[in-house]
Amino acid sequence: MKKILFIIFVLVFLYLLQNFILYNHKKQSVIFYKNGAVVTAHPEATQVGLDVLKAGGNAFDAAIAVQFSLSVVYPVAGNIGGGGFMIARTKEGDVYALDFREKAPLKSNRNMYLDSNSNVISGLSTFGILSVGVPGTVDGMVKLHERLGSLPFDKLVGPSVNLAKNGFLITKKQAARLNYYRKHFLKINSENKYFMKDNWIEGDTLFQLDLSNTLELIKKNGRSGFYDGIVADKIVQTSKNLGGLLSYQDLNEYNSVWREPISGNYKGYVFHSMPPPSSGGVALYQLLNSLEHFDLDNIDNNDFKYIHLLSEIEKRVYADRSEFLGDIDYYNVPLDNLLDSSYIKSRIKDIDFSSVTNSKDINPGVFNDSESEETTHFSIIDRWGNCASVTTTLNTSYGSKVFVEESGFLLNNEMDDFSIKPGYPNTYGLIGSEANSIEGGKRMLSSMTPTIIEYNGEPFLVIGTPGGSTIITSVFQNILNVIDFNLPIQKSVDNYRFHHQWKPDTIFVEKGLLNDTILRDLNSLGHTVLERSSIGQVNAIMIIDNKITCGADRRGDNKALGY
Ligand code: DON
């Protein structure tokens, strides 16, 4: 008897001790910063951003330095051979959207991925040189610097040159990825010299000398260090050797664009997000606006009712995305209609809690008056309150897997984000139509949703994530986590996520989100539910009472630092 009591005592003691440790660990993990913070997908890039802030640079200087550094230390998605989007908010409260999305090469055409029977040729839009769009990142960073930068451009590219030349230590996840993709690199490149090692392990040093020379040219010559001269020659030559379409004209004519952000209100908060050619801002607007018609008071985060309601709303929004969204410079995207509150209300009027609307019964709306994976997001705030929210990508992991010969960088496979055939799903299962058909010079539709939210005229949230089609719903759910459920930002980022994109008619949930009861309730209502590996990697900054807190997604090697 004594022995049993002793064992029970020990077990209770251990339980209490464990909880004490966990509790204190959680408490310690909330760190507040006063002056500024940087959250990126890699500790080295975060450090570079922080160094720039501490050296007196603003958030936009730090964004430029981080973007170039990620092309070195996070080559799976960080890039100079890809593109991206940025929402910038200045300390004065001006908000800008920068579109440095890739464009279809001028020689592309709408049938380029179809065989003579109009069937899709598998893999052509995702792998190899024909999947490559004209890169936009370097032009984007130069434009950003011209408008909002404060330190000299070469000082911002400098750290990336050093990281490429002197090498950096790869993480465990990076080692595993490099080993996994080795066979893909070998298959596609005429010159097999990059990232080639039989077995990468955590802590190995990755040196990238060719890349450091390329970055040195960008550092010295800005835009023309990439779009002219030796790097341009190598891009065109690599493309030619592999049977691609990229030309000098494509490189000369590439231009990133400042656009008007999509802005709206949600429960007194003002959000700003990315307009077309990303679908992110429009979809986020529709999601938040739809949700305001429902009372969340008696609904718990991630319970049955919550998952049902959000999935029903998401289906309707993604149906619109597939029909109406594309590059606004080439297609007349009906923005006014899509953002009209009575239209949005009409779309959700048949949602109820006791039945599921089958996706095949949902069509894109009709207007009354007659749109293994990798991307990366980083968030930055500086001591003056300037904010940068940047999502940047090669599309899937390491993009097309094509290295530009002797230049050491990878080209994107963004062309797959076009609708390569009406109704044919892209890598993320998204379907599209005329609005997103291929045309030389046009930008492919994106889901990237870099977002900044203000409260009482002050920055409140800087947020975004990778994740292909799931980007929009991950940003959406994190906004609800912090505004409706008052979660601290790190908890919000760690919280399980789920996703519905209309077609397939399935709720995708992260492993661990559902208990048996919720799963049973969803199934018995008629939902198809599929568990999948992690969704997205949200990197966010939240500011409350002038105190900066960060959420760096634990699903990856993401890292937050501030001061
Ligand atoms: O622009 C888009 O929507 C996609 N190319 C993004 C790809 C992505 O997020 C991959 N990351 N997991």
Side-chain angles (χ1 to χ4, degrees):
M1 187 65 192
K2 262 192 185 161
K3 214 169 170 185
I4 293 174
L5 278 175
F6 179 71
I7 291 171
I8 291 173
F9 175 78
V10 169
L11 287 174
V12 169
F13 177 76
L14 286 175
Y15 175 79
L16 290 174
L17 184 70
Q18 183 196 2
N19 275 300
F20 175 78
I21 291 168
L22 278 179
Y23 176 72
N24 277 286
H25 173 75
K26 279 182 203 152
K27 250 184 21 188
Q28 277 165 12
S29 70
V30 181
I31 300 173
F32 295 104
Y33 302 111
K34 213 168 77 183
N35 294 306
V38 181
V39 195
T40 86
H42 198 280
E44 295 275 8
T46 299
Q47 187 63 52
V48 166
L50 185 69
D51 291 346
V52 170
L53 293 185
K54 283 185 169 171
N58 63 25
F60 314 113
D61 294 321
I64 294 165
V66 166
Q67 171 76 48
F68 284 115
S69 296
L70 285 169
S71 79
V72 179
V73 299
Y74 197 66
V76 66
N79 65 82
I80 51 176
F85 296 108
M86 168 187 207
I87 297 292
R89 183 195 184 274
T90 67
K91 59 182 191 297
E92 293 83 12
D94 299 325
V95 184
Y96 304 101
L98 179 60
D99 165 3
F100 53 104
R101 180 73 160 169
E102 300 91 327
K103 290 182 177 194
L106 292 164
K107 286 189 207 123
S108 342
N109 70 74
R110 63 172 58 219
N111 297 324
M112 63 188 281
Y113 300 113
L114 307 182
D115 65 16
S116 52
N117 297 320
S118 293
N119 292 322
V120 168
I121 305 168
S122 171
L124 211 57
S125 65
T126 51
F127 189 56
I129 196 69
L130 282 176
S131 66
V132 179
V134 184
T137 294
V138 176
D139 190 74
M141 291 305 102
V142 170
K143 284 244 171 61
L144 171 59
H145 184 256
E146 282 165 4
R147 183 166 204 169
L148 298 171
S150 71
L151 296 182
F153 189 72
D154 61 342
K155 291 253 173 331
L156 307 175
V157 189
S160 64
V161 176
N162 296 337
L163 282 164
K165 199 185 322 182
N166 303 329
F168 71 98
L169 305 183
I170 62 170
T171 67
K172 192 169 170 189
K173 288 194 170 76
Q174 288 186 300
R177 264 198 305 258
L178 287 173
N179 292 332
Y180 178 80
Y181 281 100
R182 185 170 185 275
K183 54 184 182 293
H184 299 274
F185 299 136
L186 281 169
K187 206 158 157 188
I188 215 105
N189 293 283
S190 51
E191 206 187 29
N192 292 320
K193 65 177 186 189
Y194 301 116
F195 300 172
M196 287 301 142
K197 189 167 183 265
D198 285 344
N199 187 31
W200 290 96
I201 55 169
E202 180 182 7
D204 279 346
T205 305
L206 179 59
F207 296 99
Q208 298 171 86
L209 293 184
D210 285 352
L211 179 58
S212 79
N213 292 333
T214 302
L215 289 165
E216 183 70 43
L217 287 169
I218 296 168
K219 179 180 150 191
K220 249 200 244 142
N221 303 324
R223 187 190 190 282
S224 61
F226 184 85
Y227 295 92
D228 295 322
I230 181 93
V231 178
D233 291 345
K234 292 296 172 198
I235 294 173
V236 174
Q237 193 182 313
T238 303
S239 177
K240 210 166 149 204
N241 292 347
L242 296 171
L245 304 178
L246 295 169
S247 65
Y248 286 107
Q249 195 185 350
D250 284 319
L251 298 173
N252 276 330
E253 290 184 6
Y254 182 84
N255 64 317
S256 46
V257 185
W258 291 102
R259 299 189 187 275
E260 213 31 61
I262 299 284
S263 302
N265 267 284
Y266 177 69
K267 298 188 175 168
Y269 292 79
V270 178
F271 60 89
H272 308 281
S273 192
M274 203 62 214
S278 181
S279 59
V282 171
L284 185 65
Y285 189 108
Q286 291 191 326
L287 290 166
L288 290 168
N289 204 297
S290 299
L291 194 69
E292 277 207 296
H293 295 284
F294 296 88
D295 185 1
L296 282 184
D297 280 353
N298 297 315
I299 300 184
D300 285 334
N301 190 290
N302 281 351
D303 74 356
F304 158 70
K305 273 183 155 178
Y306 187 73
I307 297 172
H308 170 72
L309 174 61
L310 267 60
S311 298
E312 289 294 301
I313 294 173
E314 288 168 8
K315 280 182 206 178
R316 286 154 176 84
V317 169
Y318 276 77
D320 273 2
R321 180 195 191 280
S322 75
E323 181 67 20
F324 300 116
L325 289 217
D327 183 352
I328 204 152
D329 294 341
Y330 282 72
Y331 184 84
N332 193 4
V333 178
L335 274 185
D336 289 348
N337 295 315
L338 290 166
L339 303 180
D340 180 73
S341 55
S342 49
Y343 167 71
I344 295 174
K345 196 168 171 194
S346 75
R347 297 281 290 154
I348 53 165
K349 66 177 188 304
D350 56 343
I351 293 182
D352 77 58
F353 284 93
S354 55
S355 67
V356 174
T357 322
N358 198 307
S359 284
K360 69 178 178 347
D361 300 326
I362 297 176
N363 290 311
V366 178
F367 307 123
N368 290 336
D369 63 356
S370 45
E371 189 230 88
S372 169
E373 48 191 56
E374 270 304 328
T375 290
T376 189
H377 178 85
F378 56 94
S379 296
I380 302 178
I381 185 164
D382 66 22
R383 74 180 91 148
W384 300 284
N386 297 298
C387 305
S389 180
V390 184
T391 315
T392 180
T393 190
L394 291 165
N395 196 19
T396 60
S397 298
Y398 306 105
S400 64
K401 323 291 186 286
V402 175
F403 285 98
V404 174
E405 289 162 17
E406 294 165 43
S407 303
F409 66 92
L410 285 156
L411 292 167
N412 65 84
N413 60 346
E414 220 74 63
M415 289 294 282
D416 187 62
D417 275 348
F418 277 116
S419 171
I420 61 173
K421 181 178 173 178
Y424 187 87
N426 76 359
T427 271
Y428 307 102
L430 292 167
I431 56 178
S433 54
E434 186 55 34
N436 190 30
S437 61
I438 304 173
E439 202 177 325
K442 185 176 173 182
R443 290 172 155 100
M444 55 297 282
L445 183 61
S446 173
S447 302
M448 291 189 276
T449 313
T451 298
I452 295 177
I453 301 187
E454 297 163 355
Y455 189 63
N456 282 337
E458 297 294 329
F460 165 69
L461 191 67
V462 187
I463 189 164
T465 180
S469 55
T470 66
I471 291 175
I472 300 163
T473 50
S474 293
V475 170
F476 175 48
Q477 284 163 39
N478 273 276
I479 292 174
L480 306 186
N481 287 344
V482 297
I483 293 182
D484 290 284
F485 297 97
N486 291 318
L487 291 189
I489 192 64
Q490 185 64 54
K491 281 223 166 109
S492 166
V493 166
D494 291 343
N495 202 23
Y496 289 119
R497 303 193 263 266
F498 59 92
H499 170 75
H500 201 304
Q501 60 181 51
W502 177 47
K503 291 183 181 172
D505 194 351
T506 300
I507 307 175
F508 296 93
V509 298
E510 285 187 309
K511 240 189 169 63
L513 181 145
L514 296 178
N515 60 32
D516 291 347
T517 317
I518 300 178
L519 179 60
R520 196 197 51 223
D521 289 350
L522 288 168
N523 282 333
S524 59
L525 203 60
H527 285 291
T528 303
V529 181
L530 207 65
E531 278 195 342
R532 51 161 279 179
S533 56
S534 63
I535 296 179
Q537 289 190 38
V538 176
N539 283 331
I541 293 174
M542 188 160 89
I543 307 100
I544 295 181
D545 298 333
N546 289 322
K547 282 191 244 150
I548 300 168
T549 57
C550 301
D553 205 317
R554 300 202 172 114
R555 293 164 181 83
D557 297 319
N558 303 286
K559 175 84 181 159
L561 284 174
Y563 73 118

